[in-house]
Amino acid sequence: MYATESDPWRFASSPYERDKYAATLAALPRAHYASGLEVGCSIGVFTHELCPRCDTLVGLDVVPSVLDAARARCADCPNVSFQLAAVPGAWPEGRFDLIVISEVAYYLDRADLARLVARVKGAVLPEADIVLVHWLGVTHYPLSGDEAAEGFIADANAFARVLKQSRTDKYRLDVLRSIKPDVKPVP
């Protein structure tokens, strides 16, 4: 899609994206994070909005030209870095107190979603926030937005609990918090 258009989903201009970004930022339980990870950063529109809330922020995407656009958009954000990575196969080093997975998990099948959850488990700090945002319309991907979010939440039950959930007619937003290792999850 990016071969013929630099912003095919209108991340920089659509009211849907603008409203979703504002809702996502408002849903963050903390005003500031030490280390953030944005899985599927695309051209960096949300990354640029998120960067003031993080000491360091890593954006991941699978398309090199998209990451070039994200780097250009976030040139004024010295705390942001970008990596070419197709999750769950590739994953950045480090541990994070914020992981945002927006409009990505429904591209995965159930096995890869479980692998993504395992990657997140290994990368979250105690009491980290995990934010899932997914479109609820019809997809031609392996999972729907609801299936992706519900599957992630179910697979993460051993290490994270849902803090808040919201839903519009277009997307759902789920915020989870990783639990301290000595806290038992609720069955």
Side-chain angles (χ1 to χ4, degrees), residues 58-173:
V58 177
L60 306 179
D61 210 287
V62 298
V63 180
S65 63
V66 167
L67 290 175
D68 291 341
R71 285 183 188 97
R73 182 177 305 278
C74 296
D76 62 336
C77 303
N79 59 321
V80 177
S81 64
F82 295 96
Q83 294 180 23
L84 184 66
V87 299
W91 193 259
E93 302 258 335
R95 304 217 27 224
F96 305 94
D97 61 348
L98 173 65
I99 297 179
V100 177
I101 302 170
S102 179
E103 310 275 4
V104 171
Y106 46 60
Y107 289 109
L108 306 176
D109 61 22
R110 282 292 295 139
D112 278 341
L113 182 64
R115 289 178 58 212
L116 174 62
V117 171
R119 290 285 200 179
V120 169
K121 180 181 180 184
V124 291
L125 292 164
E127 299 187 317
D129 294 327
I130 305 159
V131 180
L132 309 172
V133 187
H134 287 90
W135 184 58
L136 295 174
V138 175
T139 70
H140 301 290
Y141 308 126
L143 300 172
S144 70
D146 279 325
E147 290 169 334
E150 294 300 327
F152 188 102
I153 291 166
D155 290 352
N157 185 52
F159 70 92
R161 61 179 170 80
V162 174
L163 280 184
K164 58 176 107 171
Q165 296 177 301
S166 63
R167 183 180 196 92
T168 72
D169 61 331
K170 294 184 170 75
Y171 67 88
R172 67 178 287 164
L173 195 155

Side-chain angles (χ1 to χ4, degrees), residues 3-26:
T4 58
E5 190 171 342
S6 63
D7 188 5
W9 285 281
R10 307 280 184 256
F11 294 125
S13 61
S14 92
Y16 165 79
E17 295 295 341
R18 182 184 59 244
D19 294 348
K20 184 182 71 175
Y21 297 154
T24 303
L25 290 171

